[in-house]
Every structure is written in structure tokens, then in C-alpha cells.
Amino acid sequence: MNIAVFPGSFDPLTKGHESIVRRALPIFDEIVIGIGYNSNKHYFFSQERREYFIKNTFADEKKVKVARYSGLTVNYCKEIGARYILRGLRTSADYEFERAIAQMNKAMNPDVETVFLVSDPALSHISSTIVRDILLYQGDITPFVPAGVTV
Ligand code: ADP
């Protein structure tokens, strides 16, 4: 079975994330959206809320699972038998950042391949960071997040 882990903070899930997962569905048997935990990071939404938003968004999709994990993504992949890491690329800055992580992950576990999908041009401006800024100033985030993200 081809299992992919889509790792991230998802603070919160955006239409950009949703698009990557839906476009990757024909490629994999199962996609595990992995909510990573980093003790150095301060999150806007609790892990429970972030998980709820994702479950709500993909409730109709049997191939999509949600899980929380801590530690290295490659170790988590090994633990659940996933041979692929899925990531999205928006910009050249994303590419440089992602390239280094993918190569480090490959060095740590050569059995795990990182698969990149280039962002839909209509969604490449969307980031969780900007969505959080909009929320901070009571703006409307509905154009940028799936309907399942009910804040
Ligand atoms: P992280 O905390 O690891 O940066 P994010 O939750 O911000 O995680 O993003 C997870 C993944 O989703 C990353 O691969 C990121 O590049 C991708 N991503 C985020 N926003 C978009 C978007 N608008 N279009 C395509 N991919 C995106």
C-alpha cells in the first residue's frame, strides 16, 4: 500500500493545503495528514482544533487520515509504514527550504521519498501565517480556508 504523510502545522488548514491533498489522492492509497508538534513553536489553534478542521474538511474522503505526531517526520513514516512524504511548493523560497529538508530526510531514511506538487497558481498566495494575521485583526478568512475550518 502506498501511504504518504503530508506533514505540517496546519495552523490552520488552508485552501492551499486542501488542494495539495485532493490533487495527490489519485497517486496514493492513503494520505495521512500529520500534525507535527514542535515544542519551540507557539501555535494559534490548539492541536485539537487543527485536527478537527482537517477531519471536518475531509470527512467525505476515506483515503485521508489525520494524526498528530512528534519527532522526526521520517521516524513517523517508518512507524506507520509510509514510503512517501508529500509537500507543496509555492515559490522559489519554498523550493530552497524544502530541498534541504527533503535531502536531509533522504539521508536519514533512504526508503522515504519526498513528492512535491506545485501549487495551483490561484492558491499560491495563501499561507497559514497570513490567515492568522487576518484573524488577529478580525478580518474575513473565508476566501482562504475550506468550509470545514469553522472559526
Ligand atoms: P510547515 O509548518 O511545515 O511550514 P504548513 O502547514 O505551513 O507547514 O504547510 C505544510 C505544507 O503545505 C508545506 O509543504 C507547504 O509548502 C504546503 N503549502 C502551504 N500552503 C500552500 C499553498 N497555498 N499551496 C500549496 N502548498 C502549500
Side-chain angles (χ1 to χ4, degrees), residues 6-20 23 41 43 86-90 94 97-98 101 116-120 123-129 132:
F6 183 43
S9 309
F10 307 107
D11 189 23
L13 182 79
T14 67
K15 283 186 178 173
H17 297 130
E18 181 193 18
S19 160
I20 295 291
R23 286 169 54 208
K41 250 184 170 175
Y43 297 102
L86 173 66
R87 296 288 284 179
L89 291 177
R90 286 164 291 188
D94 265 2
F97 178 73
E98 295 289 343
I101 295 176
F116 295 105
L117 290 187
V118 173
S119 178
D120 178 330
L123 302 173
S124 61
H125 59 294
I126 301 177
S127 73
S128 295
T129 309
R132 290 196 298 275

Side-chain angles (χ1 to χ4, degrees), residues 68-81:
R68 302 183 212 165
Y69 74 99
S70 56
L72 293 173
T73 304
V74 282
N75 290 350
Y76 179 63
C77 288
K78 195 172 177 187
E79 195 184 309
I80 65 165

